[in-house]
Tab-separated table of all heavy atoms in Angstrom:
chain	number	residue	atom	x	y	z
A	110	ALA	N	-82.318	115.538	-22.707
A	110	ALA	CA	-81.800	116.356	-21.613
A	110	ALA	C	-80.774	117.362	-22.118
A	110	ALA	O	-80.754	118.523	-21.690
A	110	ALA	CB	-81.184	115.463	-20.538
A	111	ALA	N	-79.922	116.938	-23.054
A	111	ALA	CA	-78.923	117.839	-23.619
A	111	ALA	C	-79.578	118.967	-24.401
A	111	ALA	O	-79.165	120.126	-24.312
A	111	ALA	CB	-77.967	117.055	-24.512
A	112	MET	N	-80.626	118.629	-25.177
A	112	MET	CA	-81.327	119.660	-25.943
A	112	MET	C	-82.032	120.648	-25.029
A	112	MET	O	-81.979	121.866	-25.246
A	112	MET	CB	-82.311	119.016	-26.916
A	112	MET	CG	-81.646	118.314	-28.086
A	112	MET	SD	-82.816	117.741	-29.342
A	112	MET	CE	-83.567	116.360	-28.494
A	113	ASN	N	-82.687	120.146	-23.981
A	113	ASN	CA	-83.368	121.040	-23.050
A	113	ASN	C	-82.386	121.986	-22.372
A	113	ASN	O	-82.672	123.173	-22.188
A	113	ASN	CB	-84.117	120.222	-21.997
A	113	ASN	CG	-85.356	119.550	-22.552
A	113	ASN	OD1	-85.883	119.965	-23.584
A	113	ASN	ND2	-85.812	118.507	-21.889
A	114	LYS	N	-81.230	121.454	-22.005
A	114	LYS	CA	-80.218	122.284	-21.353
A	114	LYS	C	-79.714	123.371	-22.297
A	114	LYS	O	-79.572	124.538	-21.906
A	114	LYS	CB	-79.057	121.410	-20.877
A	114	LYS	CG	-77.968	122.187	-20.150
A	114	LYS	CD	-76.870	121.250	-19.660
A	114	LYS	CE	-75.768	122.037	-18.941
A	114	LYS	NZ	-74.686	121.104	-18.457
A	115	ALA	N	-79.438	122.990	-23.543
A	115	ALA	CA	-78.926	123.960	-24.514
A	115	ALA	C	-79.973	125.019	-24.834
A	115	ALA	O	-79.658	126.214	-24.957
A	115	ALA	CB	-78.490	123.238	-25.785
A	116	LEU	N	-81.234	124.614	-24.999
A	116	LEU	CA	-82.296	125.575	-25.275
A	116	LEU	C	-82.500	126.526	-24.101
A	116	LEU	O	-82.694	127.734	-24.295
A	116	LEU	CB	-83.596	124.831	-25.593
A	116	LEU	CG	-83.632	124.088	-26.930
A	116	LEU	CD1	-84.799	123.103	-26.966
A	116	LEU	CD2	-83.730	125.072	-28.098
A	117	SER	N	-82.439	125.996	-22.886
A	117	SER	CA	-82.619	126.824	-21.696
A	117	SER	C	-81.513	127.867	-21.580
A	117	SER	O	-81.758	129.005	-21.172
A	117	SER	CB	-82.636	125.948	-20.432
A	117	SER	OG	-83.708	125.048	-20.455
A	118	ARG	N	-80.321	127.477	-21.941
A	118	ARG	CA	-79.194	128.403	-21.853
A	118	ARG	C	-79.288	129.501	-22.910
A	118	ARG	O	-78.969	130.663	-22.655
A	118	ARG	CB	-77.883	127.630	-22.028
A	118	ARG	CG	-76.656	128.514	-21.964
A	118	ARG	CD	-75.380	127.729	-22.167
A	118	ARG	NE	-74.224	128.609	-22.160
A	118	ARG	CZ	-72.996	128.234	-22.464
A	118	ARG	NH1	-72.760	126.972	-22.796
A	118	ARG	NH2	-71.999	129.096	-22.433
A	119	ALA	N	-79.753	129.144	-24.100
A	119	ALA	CA	-79.756	130.094	-25.213
A	119	ALA	C	-80.959	131.019	-25.223
A	119	ALA	O	-80.878	132.137	-25.748
A	119	ALA	CB	-79.694	129.329	-26.535
A	120	ILE	N	-82.100	130.573	-24.667
A	120	ILE	CA	-83.349	131.309	-24.857
A	120	ILE	C	-83.964	131.704	-23.514
A	120	ILE	O	-84.771	130.962	-22.944
A	120	ILE	CB	-84.362	130.479	-25.673
A	120	ILE	CG1	-83.720	129.992	-26.967
A	120	ILE	CG2	-85.613	131.298	-25.979
A	120	ILE	CD1	-84.581	129.059	-27.773
A	173	GLN	N	-76.120	129.136	-31.305
A	173	GLN	CA	-75.665	128.899	-29.938
A	173	GLN	C	-76.091	127.506	-29.459
A	173	GLN	O	-75.297	126.777	-28.858
A	173	GLN	CB	-76.212	129.951	-28.981
A	173	GLN	CG	-75.739	129.750	-27.542
A	173	GLN	CD	-76.251	130.806	-26.591
A	173	GLN	OE1	-76.598	131.918	-26.999
A	173	GLN	NE2	-76.301	130.472	-25.304
A	174	VAL	N	-77.339	127.138	-29.733
A	174	VAL	CA	-77.806	125.810	-29.321
A	174	VAL	C	-76.985	124.725	-30.007
A	174	VAL	O	-76.561	123.746	-29.376
A	174	VAL	CB	-79.305	125.634	-29.632
A	174	VAL	CG1	-79.749	124.206	-29.320
A	174	VAL	CG2	-80.142	126.623	-28.841
A	175	ARG	N	-76.760	124.887	-31.319
A	175	ARG	CA	-75.944	123.911	-32.052
A	175	ARG	C	-74.565	123.767	-31.420
A	175	ARG	O	-74.053	122.655	-31.238
A	175	ARG	CB	-75.796	124.334	-33.507
A	175	ARG	CG	-75.049	123.320	-34.358
A	175	ARG	CD	-74.338	123.981	-35.524
A	175	ARG	NE	-75.208	124.809	-36.323
A	175	ARG	CZ	-74.854	126.013	-36.784
A	175	ARG	NH1	-73.659	126.517	-36.487
A	175	ARG	NH2	-75.676	126.715	-37.529
A	177	ASP	N	-73.700	124.416	-28.312
A	177	ASP	CA	-73.788	123.823	-26.979
A	177	ASP	C	-74.100	122.328	-27.017
A	177	ASP	O	-73.914	121.636	-26.016
A	177	ASP	CB	-74.855	124.545	-26.156
A	177	ASP	CG	-74.417	125.946	-25.732
A	177	ASP	OD1	-73.214	126.243	-25.868
A	177	ASP	OD2	-75.272	126.737	-25.292
A	178	LEU	N	-74.562	121.823	-28.147
A	178	LEU	CA	-74.865	120.394	-28.270
A	178	LEU	C	-73.644	119.563	-28.656
A	178	LEU	O	-73.706	118.336	-28.610
A	178	LEU	CB	-75.973	120.170	-29.299
A	178	LEU	CG	-77.377	120.627	-28.893
A	178	LEU	CD1	-78.371	120.372	-30.021
A	178	LEU	CD2	-77.829	119.941	-27.609
Side-chain angles (χ1 to χ4, degrees):
M112 289 187 287
N113 287 339
K114 182 178 179 180
L116 290 165
S117 298
R118 179 181 177 188
I120 308 174
Q173 181 179 337
V174 175
R175 184 208 307 137
D177 288 347
L178 289 179

